[in-house]
Amino acid sequence: MPAGVMIPARNMPSMITGNGFGTSSSGLTLGQPNNMMEGQLHPLEMTQNTSESEFARTRDEEFDSTNKFGCENHELGGSGDDQDPRPNKKKRYHRHTQHQIQEMEAFFKECPHPDDKQRKELGRELGLEPLQIKFWFQNKRTQMKTQHERHENTQLRTENEKLRADNMRFREALSTASCPNCGGPTAVGQMSFDEHHLRLENARLREEIDRISAIAAKYVGKPLANFPLLSSPAPPRSFDFGAQPVSEEMYDVGDLLRSISAPSEADKPMIIELAVAAMEELIRMAQMDEPLWMASLDGSTCVLNEEEYIRTFPNGIGPKPTGLKSEASRETAVVIMNHINLVEILMDVHQWSTLFSGIVSKASTLDVLSTGVAGNYNGALQVMSAEFQVPSPLVPTRESYYVRYCKQHAEGTWAVVDVSLDNIRPSPTVKCRRRPSGCLIQEMPNGYSKVTWVEHVEVDDRGVHSLYKQLVSSSHMFGARRWVATLDRQCERLASLLTSNIPAGEVGVITNQDGRKSMLKLAERMVISFCGGVSASTAHTWTTLSGTGADDVRVMTRKSIDDPGRPPGIVLSAATSFWLPVSPKRVFDFLREENSRSEWDILSNGGAIQEMAHIANGRDPGNCVSLLQVNSANSSQSNMLILQESCTDSTASFVIYAPVDIVAMNVVLNGGDPDYVALLPSGFAIFPDGTDGGIADAGGSGGSLLTIAFQILVDSVPTAKLSLGSVATVNNLIACTVERIKASLSCDNA
């Protein structure tokens, strides 16, 4: 008897050893065939799924003809051989033929689990007993399962080694990481979230293998309502603001953002969970269509179905507070900027607020919970405060305290999301909060990026003037379309700065690269100063004067001391907004063209305006920076230059200008530092009134909403007292300009 094989008790089938079993070191116990479990090897047949030579080495084993199964006296036949009359003697039969194996292999591919009828039919065709067929198929299934598990284990082992190598590489990168803001080493307190983010990224790489990230495990494994920050609104947390208590009146005058400090350590885990949930919502909001987003009646915009939104995202930051209105919009555009550069701008608060200076009046980063992974902003998490504006004194600004989270979702695809932290904010009343808003950025060929912007806020808009009520409520002023249009225009402006193939034959074109860069930087500062002085923002140190005698004109004053970018002394700023019955494009062209400037510019004293130099800033000829010279009969103004930037897009247009010193401009045109050129910008902000079929379009045929703002130096001594005569002069100046514009455009329109 071969070693290693156990002979069963009586009334059990005998076993004849074949190649590969008789010399096995481990014993195989053969029990009742009818009770044998799937996955156990049967000694009757063990065919290796390799080559035909290996098939031939396998021996077939049959049962003794006198053995019985249970109480049934079923005799097993051979392959045509006579049965041995002796009951205890084993009988060896021929192995399966090559034909039998091939036929069973072919049948196995079609049906690995044959029933009794199929086994009998197959046995009849091959000259085998149904029980032999049954055992062969059981063994075959076991072999296939074993091979599959072995292959799967090999794959898992390879994937695990890859993840371990990635983890080590990320840890090495983290050990040498530096802060993108200050250049110093990362703080110890930041490492916990960075390591947590590494686990999150590893889990993303093997989603079908394991979920090892703590944040992802909480987010996937629990309903959102279980998160403390995502449940019903909690009482505001107390913050230490120093000795001066924060009163409700401070929020009304815009001091909220000035008072908010960084979040405490206890708040940071909730902020992280909220950011992860907000990112998931933003991606779905950017990619889903009907029924979440419905096309408007004219088909030009998307309108959010609020009922569907509540069903799709039942938790989030909680129900809408009483008294707030929802504004939701989505817009998509392709912009001329690399997706990595765009992410860097969005995650740098200075670059972001500069790029969107017409929308963002001020912004600051209060805390950095994570700087990202492996030298980029993937996983970066920042707590921020910002004030959003419309360049008009008739529209209140919107203050927001929120977290910004950046994540790479795939190769060439990034997302940046904002969501308010109102449960941490110490405000007794919420006037504006941001539900998950931001953009999905996808890489495009040739350095372009596809941007899908989602803007979703809840605000108290009762302070908006009736002139702007329709535009604000329709999400035109603060909505996604304006963000995307501004981004598209600014990307073209940045691209023009990098242009090297400038045609030298055109008159007035600045070909000096350093000169172009300095002039554009000076114009950028002029636009930021204008927007900050014309809106109801608290970003600059302006003081609003009361009792100036004109309710529709807002007059502010500021003392300029030791500021190289502004002339020293007392500056007055006056701004007003009004409606015109002509299209925004007509108003824009009238105000930017030098030939029509004498019709409205009182300070030019009727002198002829000549363009000395210009820089094109995009496809639209109206987007340019110009240097104008006033040829006045007054000898004192004959050498005065005017720096002007005009820009237009589908949502708004601007014409902004400032008188500049000719000596200083020569320095700038030669590539000198523009920060020391003193500027007092004035200009115009033009918006469509939204009456053209309900569509707000800067190039439409409806009416316009025009804002005028002047900044004038009334006294060169900063300590001097402001006289009422100066205020009256500024009021008269702006009133006369308004009348001139109305007269000129009304005549042209008629």
Side-chain angles (χ1 to χ4, degrees):
M1 176 172 39
V5 179
M6 300 177 63
I7 297 300
R10 66 176 184 271
N11 296 330
M12 297 294 293
S14 299
M15 182 183 69
I16 297 179
T17 59
N19 290 344
F21 291 98
T23 59
S24 173
S25 60
S26 61
L28 296 176
T29 303
L30 182 65
Q32 291 285 356
N34 290 339
N35 297 330
M36 197 167 291
M37 299 296 295
E38 184 82 0
Q40 293 180 326
L41 295 179
H42 295 279
L44 283 176
E45 183 67 48
M46 186 63 198
T47 306
Q48 299 294 330
N49 187 21
T50 52
S51 62
E52 293 183 1
S53 60
E54 291 176 317
F55 286 124
R57 288 196 298 268
T58 304
R59 306 283 295 180
D60 296 332
E61 299 176 357
E62 303 295 344
F63 292 102
D64 188 87
S65 58
T66 59
N67 288 348
K68 298 180 177 58
F69 294 88
C71 60
E72 182 182 359
N73 187 13
H74 179 73
E75 294 184 355
L76 292 177
S79 298
D81 296 335
D82 294 333
Q83 299 180 6
D84 196 319
R86 290 171 296 180
N88 293 327
K89 185 177 180 180
K90 305 184 186 73
K91 191 72 174 178
R92 186 185 300 272
Y93 296 95
H94 294 291
R95 69 173 70 90
H96 291 331
T97 65
Q98 197 71 11
H99 171 71
Q100 290 172 335
I101 294 175
Q102 290 176 352
E103 289 296 322
M104 286 189 289
E105 290 277 0
F107 195 92
F108 183 85
K109 294 179 180 179
E110 299 294 332
C111 178
H113 291 273
D115 55 23
D116 291 339
K117 182 178 179 181
Q118 290 173 319
R119 287 197 296 268
K120 291 179 181 179
E121 182 67 26
L122 186 60
R124 222 172 8 251
E125 294 178 1
L126 301 179
L128 297 174
E129 290 296 329
L131 192 59
Q132 292 177 285
I133 300 293
K134 176 181 178 181
F135 286 164
W136 188 93
F137 272 84
Q138 284 183 349
N139 289 337
K140 184 66 177 178
R141 288 193 297 269
T142 301
Q143 290 174 356
M144 297 299 293
K145 181 179 178 181
T146 302
Q147 292 173 3
H148 176 73
E149 289 177 349
R150 187 183 300 114
H151 177 69
E152 188 178 46
N153 288 339
T154 302
Q155 284 186 322
L156 293 178
R157 191 178 300 109
T158 303
E159 185 71 16
N160 194 25
E161 291 297 329
K162 185 189 301 183
L163 291 173
R164 185 177 291 107
D166 289 344
N167 205 347
M168 293 298 298
R169 179 166 54 87
F170 287 147
R171 289 182 180 275
E172 291 177 2
L174 278 176
S175 63
T176 59
S178 61
C179 176
N181 296 327
C182 65
T186 54
V188 177
Q190 298 173 359
M191 296 303 294
S192 60
F193 180 74
D194 288 334
E195 293 174 359
H196 179 82
H197 183 74
L198 287 176
R199 293 196 298 270
L200 182 63
E201 289 303 303
N202 285 342
R204 184 179 65 83
L205 294 175
R206 56 170 195 175
E207 289 178 350
E208 300 301 324
I209 303 174
D210 195 10
R211 296 283 184 179
I212 62 172
S213 167
I215 289 180
K218 290 182 180 179
Y219 178 54
V220 175
K222 296 181 180 180
L224 294 181
N226 290 346
F227 292 161
L229 198 59
L230 304 182
S231 57
S232 58
R237 300 178 180 270
S238 59
F239 277 71
D240 182 11
F241 294 100
Q244 177 65 34
V246 179
S247 64
E248 186 173 351
E249 288 75 23
M250 294 182 69
Y251 301 121
D252 295 334
V253 297
D255 288 339
L256 168 67
L257 301 184
R258 197 176 306 158
S259 305
I260 289 181
S261 61
S264 65
E265 289 296 325
D267 293 323
K268 291 180 180 180
M270 292 187 293
I271 293 176
I272 293 172
E273 292 179 0
L274 178 61
V276 173
M279 178 63 72
E280 176 70 17
E281 179 174 325
L282 174 71
I283 297 299
R284 297 177 65 187
M285 290 278 284
Q287 295 177 342
M288 294 176 67
D289 291 317
E290 294 185 359
L292 182 64
W293 292 98
M294 309 295 291
S296 60
L297 295 178
D298 53 30
S300 62
T301 58
C302 291
V303 179
L304 181 66
N305 184 338
E306 290 200 35
E307 294 182 357
E308 184 65 26
Y309 172 80
I310 294 174
R311 284 194 294 267
T312 307
F313 308 103
N315 301 291
I317 60 176
K320 179 171 61 179
T322 305
L324 300 190
K325 293 184 178 180
S326 295
E327 295 178 11
S329 54
R330 184 178 68 176
E331 194 72 21
T332 301
V334 176
V335 299
I336 181 171
M337 180 177 286
N338 178 273
H339 65 293
I340 298 298
N341 295 338
L342 185 52
V343 169
E344 292 177 352
I345 289 177
L346 295 177
M347 297 305 295
D348 185 300
V349 66
H350 175 70
Q351 295 188 64
W352 172 68
S353 58
T354 299
L355 190 73
F356 296 102
S357 58
I359 306 176
V360 181
S361 55
K362 63 178 179 181
S364 62
T365 301
L366 303 177
D367 196 4
V368 177
L369 303 186
S370 171
T371 58
V373 177
N376 58 37
Y377 284 102
N378 186 18
L381 199 66
Q382 303 173 359
V383 176
M384 304 175 62
S385 65
E387 183 184 60
F388 305 100
Q389 66 177 352
V390 169
S392 170
L394 303 182
V395 181
T397 57
R398 298 177 173 181
E399 299 169 334
S400 187
Y401 173 54
Y402 57 93
V403 58
R404 174 166 293 179
Y405 178 40
C406 176
K407 180 177 175 59
Q408 182 180 10
H409 287 267
E411 187 67 28
T413 302
W414 292 71
V416 179
V417 65
D418 298 341
V419 62
S420 285
L421 302 176
D422 292 304
N423 285 27
I424 301 176
R425 177 177 178 167
S427 172
T429 58
V430 177
K431 291 190 174 181
C432 174
R433 68 174 189 170
R434 294 174 68 76
R435 285 191 177 272
S437 303
C439 58
L440 181 66
I441 305 168
Q442 297 171 279
E443 181 183 13
M444 300 287 286
N446 303 321
Y448 285 74
S449 297
K450 181 182 178 182
V451 178
T452 302
W453 201 288
V454 175
E455 197 68 17
H456 192 189
V457 298
E458 294 167 343
V459 296
D460 180 358
D461 63 353
R462 287 174 292 184
V464 179
H465 193 276
S466 58
L467 273 178
Y468 289 87
K469 201 79 171 180
Q470 180 178 354
L471 285 183
V472 171
S473 62
S474 63
S475 300
H476 180 83
M477 286 303 197
F478 294 97
R481 188 178 182 188
R482 186 163 172 238
W483 284 94
V484 168
T486 302
L487 175 63
D488 187 25
R489 171 169 52 80
Q490 290 286 56
C491 287
E492 288 190 354
R493 190 182 194 276
L494 292 175
S496 69
L497 178 62
L498 303 176
T499 301
S500 57
N501 54 344
I502 305 167
E506 296 185 22
V507 179
V509 175
I510 301 175
T511 57
N512 180 4
Q513 191 70 18
D514 292 335
R516 288 170 60 89
K517 183 177 180 180
S518 295
M519 188 167 171
L520 286 174
K521 186 177 180 182
L522 180 61
E524 180 181 75
R525 177 162 64 87
M526 178 180 67
V527 172
I528 294 174
S529 178
F530 169 82
C531 292
V534 70
S535 70
S537 171
T538 61
H540 301 278
T541 55
W542 292 99
T543 301
T544 303
L545 301 179
S546 60
T548 56
D551 294 336
D552 55 346
V553 178
R554 190 190 62 169
V555 181
M556 301 186 300
T557 183
R558 179 185 60 202
K559 293 181 179 180
S560 178
I561 304 175
D562 296 331
D563 187 349
R566 298 186 180 95
I570 298 177
V571 179
L572 276 182
S573 173
T576 188
S577 300
F578 58 98
W579 177 78
L580 285 172
V582 291
S583 68
K585 186 178 187 309
R586 178 69 188 95
V587 177
F588 176 68
D589 291 339
F590 170 75
L591 294 173
R592 76 177 181 86
E593 291 175 357
E594 60 267 22
N595 296 332
S596 58
R597 191 181 190 98
S598 60
E599 298 184 37
W600 59 266
D601 192 354
I602 299 175
L603 298 181
S604 66
N605 289 330
I609 306 296
Q610 180 183 2
E611 185 180 65
M612 304 299 295
H614 74 271
I615 301 174
N617 279 338
R619 296 163 295 188
D620 195 304
N623 291 332
C624 68
V625 175
S626 304
L627 191 60
L628 309 176
Q629 184 175 22
V630 181
N631 299 317
S632 175
N634 188 341
S635 60
S636 64
Q637 295 182 341
S638 59
N639 292 326
M640 184 177 72
L641 296 178
I642 296 176
L643 177 66
Q644 175 177 292
E645 174 157 358
S646 60
C647 53
T648 183
D649 56 48
S650 61
T651 62
S653 303
F654 297 88
V655 178
I656 302 168
Y657 62 93
V660 291
D661 182 72
I662 189 171
V663 177
M665 282 309 301
N666 281 329
V667 175
V668 170
L669 292 176
N670 288 323
D673 189 355
D675 291 341
Y676 294 94
V677 179
L679 289 176
L680 284 180
S682 301
F684 308 91
I686 310 161
F687 287 89
D689 63 358
T691 59
D692 184 15
I695 305 173
D697 191 343
S701 58
S704 304
L705 296 175
L706 177 63
T707 296
I708 301 179
F710 288 125
Q711 292 186 36
I712 299 176
L713 183 68
V714 296
D715 200 312
S716 59
V717 180
T719 57
K721 291 185 179 181
L722 182 65
S723 65
L724 293 178
S726 299
V727 176
T729 300
V730 174
N731 272 332
N732 290 334
L733 174 62
I734 201 168
C736 291
T737 304
V738 170
E739 291 303 320
R740 285 194 176 195
I741 292 174
K742 286 182 176 180
S744 299
L745 289 176
S746 296
C747 290
D748 293 342
N749 193 49

